């Protein structure tokens, strides 16, 4: 499917952006996530009608290899083949669209809009031109920031017999949405009953920062478990330690954490990767997703540290021993290390498939058992409800555009040697000169 950006319209006036801390040199781009594929358009100057004109070829999902080969080789595919092809398209993943502005003043990238793009209408005619209204973020989602025009085209154009009818596309989309709404309705009803039971166990539980829902960037309240899912990186990140280091390198956009305020907006993994930054919660959500991708038993923790409300990650080994991971720094702490870690209290933990709330007399970690399977210590939500929740977009990591890392490392080292030699010469320290140890600089 060829997706072409045709430009933006009715964006907020640049003068308003400057008054809000922006600059006339700010740029804007579009980021897309579709299945295992990501795209970032070329940045263009921010204006009321930004010239967002770019394009990408997205690979559409196909049936299994045997059926795909038969369809490709057949002069006239059978009705069964076409029915399977239509069924594959009907269950294809949604497309996540972001609009990101880069501020010239500090180089920071800011998320302007996030929305799910319904692309499947192109399966009817093979071509479609869309005018997409771009909503604001979180609580501001009812206020559009502009409009984006784009064109979709299947390549090559399918034969008429293989195209889905307009009614078939609309029916499939409507049934999918109705199913999702029904799942969400049941989960909300279950959550109210679960919360009532949790409060009845002890009125003091109402004061604990147990967070069941968070406002997503898409403007809807979602279960916190929907923000986490296993994220595998292939060979891009080779170990959990590297994953922690990678997350810690992302810019931290504020100096406090989630707490229990409903005004906090939690962003998707796609947004965090696109802007290369995130708040405390998003660092923990991303790290937990990466650790789950490595097969670890990982959970996001909500509690406090010495500065106040905080969010971090915990993993459990086969013997049940816990390790705390600070997602902002990449540091690890044994959970039984007493005062060796900075965390003071723990109210709840969750992953993509589990949620536990602390029901012990105290949430102080020094007095808290971390045996999550113990019902007298932790109140669990029913996993069968959690696994039905549709997760939020979790975009994959992309390989670096730098192909030969060894060559880059060698060039960097040579440049550092030259700079050090020149610096020493400036202070008349060139004799006898620097003695470079080739063994120490050799890669391990």
């Amino acid at each position: 499917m060829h997706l072409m950006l045709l430009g933006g319209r009715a964006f907020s006036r640049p003068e308003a952006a400057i008054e809000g801390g922006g600059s006339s040199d700010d740029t804007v781009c579009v980021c897309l996530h579709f299945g295992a594929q990501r795209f970032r358009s070329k940045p263009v100057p921010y204006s009321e009608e930004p010239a967002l004109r770019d394009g990408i070829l997205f690979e559409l999902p196909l049936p299994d290899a045997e059926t795909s080969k038969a369809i490709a080789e057949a002069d006239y595919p059978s009705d069964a083949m076409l029915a399977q092809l239509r069924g594959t398209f009907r269950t294809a993943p949604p497309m996540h669209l972001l609009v990101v502005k880069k501020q010239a003043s500090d180089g920071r990238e800011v998320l302007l809009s996030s929305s799910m793009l319904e692309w499947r209408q192109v399966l009817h005619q093979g071509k479609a031109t869309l005018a997409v209204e771009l909503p604001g973020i979180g609580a501001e989602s009812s206020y559009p920031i502009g409009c984006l025009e784009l064109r979709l085209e299947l390549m090559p154009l399918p034969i008429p017999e293989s195209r889905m009818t307009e009614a078939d596309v609309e029916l499939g989309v409507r049934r999918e949405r109705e199913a999702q709404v029904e799942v969400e309705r049941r989960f909300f009803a279950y959550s109210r009953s679960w919360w009532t039971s949790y409060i009845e166990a002890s009125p003091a539980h109402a004061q604990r920062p147990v967070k069941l829902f968070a406002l997503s960037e898409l403007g809807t309240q979602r279960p916190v478990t929907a923000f986490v899912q296993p994220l595998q990186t292939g060979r891009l990140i080779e170990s959990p330690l590297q994953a922690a280091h990678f997350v810690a390198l992302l810019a931290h956009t504020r100096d406090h954490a989630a707490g229990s305020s409903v005004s906090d907006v939690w962003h998707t993994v796609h947004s965090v990767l696109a802007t290369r930054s995130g708040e405390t919660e998003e660092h923990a959500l991303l790290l937990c997703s990466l650790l789950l991708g490595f097969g670890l038993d990982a959970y996001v923790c909500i509690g406090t540290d010495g500065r106040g409300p905080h969010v971090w990650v915990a993993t459990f080994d086969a013997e049940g021993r816990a390790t705390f991971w600070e997602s902002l720094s990449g540091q690890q702490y044994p959970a039984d290390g007493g005062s060796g870690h900075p965390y003071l209290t723990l109210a709840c933990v969750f992953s993509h498939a589990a949620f536990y709330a602390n029901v012990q007399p105290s949430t102080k970690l020094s007095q808290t058992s971390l045996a999550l399977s113990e019902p007298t210590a932790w109140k669990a939500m029913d996993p069968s409800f959690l696994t039905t929740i549709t997760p939020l977009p979790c975009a994959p990591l992309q390989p670096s555009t730098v192909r030969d890392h060894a060559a880059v490392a060698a060039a960097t080292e040579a440049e550092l040697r030259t700079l050090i030699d020149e610096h020493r010469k400036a202070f008349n320290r060139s004799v006898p000169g620097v003695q470079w140890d080739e063994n120490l600089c050799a890669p391990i």
Side-chain angles (χ1 to χ4, degrees), residues 100-120:
V100 177
K101 182 177 73 170
K102 185 173 184 179
Q103 298 180 163
S105 57
D106 55 8
R108 190 165 69 93
E109 294 187 297
V110 180
L111 184 63
L112 297 183
S113 179
S114 174
S115 60
M116 306 305 297
L117 178 64
E118 183 49 69
W119 61 272
R120 284 173 290 187

Side-chain angles (χ1 to χ4, degrees), residues 160-174:
E161 292 82 0
S162 67
R163 297 177 187 174
M164 298 175 65
T165 66
E166 186 175 8
D168 192 22
V169 173
E170 292 179 355
L171 180 61
V173 171
R174 184 169 68 251

